[in-house]
Amino acid sequence: MMLDLPLPMARPIGEARRILLLLAAHVAAWTGFCLLYLAPSDLQNDMTEAFSWAQELQLGYYKHPPFYAWVVKAWFSVLPTTDWAFYLLASTNAAIGLAAVWAIAGRYLSGPARLAAVLLLEFLPFYTFQSFNFNANAVLLSLWPLTVLAFLRSFERRDVRSAVALGAVAAAAMLSKYYSGIILACCLAAALAHPDRRRYFAGFAPYLALAVLAAGLAPHVLWHLGVAIGPVDYMASKGSTRAALILAKAGLFVVGCIALHALFGAVLAWLWSRGGAASAEERPAAPSVGDRRMLAVFALGPFLVTVLIALVFQVRINTHFAIPIFALSPLAAIVWLRLAVDAATLRRLAVLAALWLLLLLGVAPVAGAWTLRHDVELAAEPRRAVAEQVTALWRDRIGRPLGVVAGTESYALGTTFYSPDHPSDFTAFAAAYAPWIDADRLRRDGLAVICLTGDGWCLDEAAKYDGLEIWRTQIRVHKTLFGLVGRDFDFTLVFVRPGQTLPLVPVKLRPF
């Protein structure tokens, strides 16, 4: 039996309006939460790193493939370089994933139950709290559900357009993080599990999708073959030969995933209690054997394969790996439990979600202020203030815009975003990490080094410029917000004037 994959416009207009309202509310609420809770904090390293990469468009970077940096480049070519714009990107990315889940849910559910499969994701942290930090994991919140959706459409339609779409979105996922190979493996497993697999593999669609995927990856693969350090090296650094450590990490991952489902489990139990007495006619229709198998593969496969790979290939995993893998948990729960969700239940579920969000919005500014006062999650780090002060000092001493920055990672990356000059990051003082920096670039632009006074590695690297014409000073900076004062941070600044030949070899290469 084939999947029923009607076009979105075939659905009632009212249903489309409800999902659009939910998506708009999600973006508004969680962008607002970020602004309230993270007001004392500057952007996390992953986000400023993505911005620094976006300034140097490449086919890959030393940690990750390039796609999500390209997304950042496109986003900030339209919007201003501000924290709120980055948080808006993060929330929009999550909302795109929710929209894809809604489209997938339409293959199994209709009416209130379909929307509930999306609304329940508001009670899981992956599309909410863990979506703030837009990085190689978070971008998969949209790309993995889109890949599943494209696969389902290609499997049913077996036409050129659907196959090309599948190959393109699969390439985008792989070009964001190699971990996306797991969702592609699940697509293959889902196709093989379906009774119509022979018809699918007898046609051209899977092979055209594979060709588009290969074409999309080819430039990045060629790039990787020509660089000193790339994502494969970074990925290899996450392994360990200590079996006990791997087992412990995998165990903590499983326990952590269960714990992260706690609130969702409670809401699901509430739904079960409300619909427990529903008749068979009021419950969702049981899907076909093929559809049921596919849903099982996509709902459970990413989790199981992640744990299996960690154990077999000795990879140290943590719950950040879980961010994209549970998008279909609510859908699977509703389908497998055949939960009855009528309009009244959906309204109560929406009210519960709204109350949860309002509670978080009310607590957010108080919790944010607490993080600054107690230096939780490094909220007191004055990255923006340092970037602005360093830029002003550079312009005053050197008399030109700041072009290249290096030093303690948080502050070098932060300066690329918060400095009005948006300098390039000379990552770890090594061209292997920052191939866009060469001797000519350093001779032309000079270099500003920002070291936390206690960062011995950074100070050792800065010392190798002592024989050149430099300007050295120390500054003390703290963060202030609404009368709250963060702790003091001391920095050593070394400005290497332009027009000189700088050593390119690092004293000690910083580990991943």
Side-chain angles (χ1 to χ4, degrees), residues 31-52:
T31 301
F33 178 85
C34 288
L35 294 175
L36 292 171
Y37 174 64
L38 300 175
S41 303
D42 298 324
L43 294 174
Q44 296 189 48
N45 280 2
D46 286 348
M47 299 171 81
T48 52
E49 182 176 61
F51 181 85
S52 72

Side-chain angles (χ1 to χ4, degrees), residues 102-310:
W102 179 79
I104 295 167
R107 279 67 184 156
Y108 297 89
L109 303 170
S110 62
R114 182 186 186 187
L115 196 62
V118 181
L119 191 55
L120 281 169
L121 285 169
E122 297 294 333
F123 299 100
L124 282 168
F126 310 110
Y127 278 86
T128 55
F129 296 105
Q130 292 188 304
S131 70
F132 302 164
N133 186 9
F134 186 77
N135 57 21
N137 292 311
V139 71
L140 304 182
L141 288 170
S142 61
L143 290 175
W144 279 25
L146 287 173
T147 300
V148 174
L149 177 62
F151 164 76
L152 292 173
R153 289 181 171 175
S154 178
F155 189 89
E156 190 274 339
R157 297 172 182 175
R158 301 190 298 278
D159 60 3
V160 171
R161 179 181 296 181
S162 300
V164 170
L166 172 57
V169 72
M174 286 296 293
L175 287 172
S176 291
K177 193 169 185 178
Y178 298 157
Y179 181 47
S180 294
I182 286 179
I183 200 64
L184 301 190
C186 288
C187 287
L188 176 60
L192 292 172
H194 199 280
D196 282 334
R197 56 185 172 272
R198 292 184 182 275
R199 293 179 61 188
Y200 181 60
F201 287 109
F204 67 86
Y207 312 106
L208 177 57
L210 186 61
V212 173
L213 169 62
L217 296 181
H220 172 70
V221 172
L222 293 173
W223 166 87
H224 205 305
L225 293 175
V227 297
I229 298 174
V232 170
D233 305 286
Y234 179 73
M235 187 169 57
S237 73
K238 300 304 177 184
S240 174
T241 58
R242 296 165 56 193
L245 175 62
I246 296 300
L247 284 172
K249 288 286 187 179
L252 288 173
F253 175 79
V254 173
V255 172
C257 288
I258 294 172
L260 291 170
H261 279 74
L263 180 59
F264 165 73
V267 176
L268 195 64
W270 172 77
L271 279 178
W272 174 260
S273 68
R274 287 193 55 81
S279 65
E281 292 75 18
E282 295 174 303
R283 298 178 183 274
S288 67
V289 172
D291 296 355
R292 189 164 61 248
R293 290 175 181 173
M294 282 188 164
L295 181 58
V297 169
F298 286 122
L300 297 176
F303 171 73
L304 297 176
V305 175
T306 296
V307 176
L308 180 63
I309 288 177

Side-chain angles (χ1 to χ4, degrees), residues 253-462:
F253 175 79
V254 173
V255 172
C257 288
I258 294 172
L260 291 170
H261 279 74
L263 180 59
F264 165 73
V267 176
L268 195 64
W270 172 77
L271 279 178
W272 174 260
S273 68
R274 287 193 55 81
S279 65
E281 292 75 18
E282 295 174 303
R283 298 178 183 274
S288 67
V289 172
D291 296 355
R292 189 164 61 248
R293 290 175 181 173
M294 282 188 164
L295 181 58
V297 169
F298 286 122
L300 297 176
F303 171 73
L304 297 176
V305 175
T306 296
V307 176
L308 180 63
I309 288 177
L311 295 175
V312 172
F313 294 98
Q314 298 181 307
V315 180
R316 292 176 287 117
I317 58 174
N318 55 47
T319 51
H320 293 303
F321 284 78
I323 288 175
I325 69 179
F326 292 110
L328 299 185
S329 289
L331 170 61
I334 293 173
V335 171
W336 291 341
L337 298 175
R338 296 191 65 192
L339 291 178
V341 182
D342 57 17
T345 301
L346 180 64
R347 283 195 297 272
R348 289 182 173 86
L349 182 62
V351 169
L352 189 62
L355 291 174
W356 169 239
L357 286 172
L358 288 173
L359 173 64
L360 293 174
L361 288 170
V363 170
V366 178
W370 190 87
T371 64
L372 174 60
R373 181 172 296 164
H374 296 276
D375 197 20
V376 174
E377 292 295 324
L378 304 179
E381 283 194 352
R383 304 180 194 183
R384 181 201 304 269
V386 168
E388 293 171 349
Q389 191 164 338
V390 167
T391 303
L393 288 169
W394 177 272
R395 289 178 174 181
D396 179 62
R397 291 286 175 172
I398 309 301
R400 59 187 297 175
L402 178 58
V404 183
V405 66
T408 301
E409 184 178 39
S410 298
Y411 295 94
L413 290 174
T415 301
T416 68
F417 185 84
Y418 288 113
S419 167
D421 296 336
H422 301 304
S424 297
D425 176 33
F426 187 24
T427 310
F429 300 88
Y433 288 170
W436 48 85
I437 303 294
D438 56 18
D440 289 339
R441 176 77 183 274
L442 291 172
R443 186 180 302 109
R444 182 179 68 249
D445 291 340
L447 176 67
V449 180
I450 308 169
C451 295
L452 273 170
T453 300
D455 186 349
W457 166 81
C458 182
L459 294 172
D460 288 344
E461 292 293 336

